[in-house]
Amino acid sequence: MLAMVQMNVRIPLDFDKQEAERLKTHEKQRFQELQRAGKWRHIWRVVGRYANVSIFDVESNSELHDILTSLPLYPFMEMEVTPLCRHPSSLHEDDR
């Protein structure tokens, strides 16, 4: 199951800077782990914002929920999830 997730990160300005950097480091490690596992297929930065648009390839909504809530920056994120399916005109067979 493919899903597009739009993530906006909103760390409060008065949040401890060292803790924010620690969380960002762990977020990157978690992202790369999920990318290597094939779960987080794509990520694009939204220009001018601390935000991204990502494509996930998961077995279920529950798996996606578990992945998203496991992200170190999750408490500071606003997310919008859009389920996707293969377009019949796509030339890419791996678009499930």
Side-chain angles (χ1 to χ4, degrees):
M1 171 184 124
L2 295 178
M4 176 181 71
V5 181
Q6 296 173 305
M7 300 178 196
N8 294 304
V9 182
R10 301 198 192 293
I11 300 173
L13 294 176
D14 61 348
F15 191 75
D16 181 83
K17 303 296 184 218
Q18 288 181 324
E19 179 63 8
E21 289 306 314
R22 187 187 73 75
L23 288 171
K24 290 176 190 179
T25 297
H26 288 289
E27 183 81 13
K28 182 176 181 179
Q29 292 169 348
R30 180 71 175 129
F31 158 71
Q32 290 176 341
E33 172 187 308
L34 290 163
Q35 193 173 38
R36 281 190 288 277
K39 297 297 180 180
W40 199 325
R41 286 183 52 177
H42 303 280
I43 187 170
W44 293 274
R45 175 174 286 156
V46 177
V47 176
R49 294 176 32 209
Y50 192 0
N52 72 74
V53 175
S54 294
I55 304 296
F56 288 83
D57 189 355
V58 293
E59 296 299 318
S60 66
N61 289 325
S62 293
E63 182 184 19
L64 180 60
H65 178 80
D66 290 345
I67 287 171
L68 296 177
T69 58
S70 77
L71 299 175
L73 290 174
Y74 174 78
F76 305 105
M77 291 182 180
E78 296 173 1
M79 297 185 206
E80 184 176 327
V81 178
T82 305
L84 302 172
C85 63
R86 184 178 186 280
H87 193 283
S89 298
S90 175
L91 296 176
H92 301 284
E93 294 299 322
D94 68 339
D95 291 341
R96 307 186 265 141

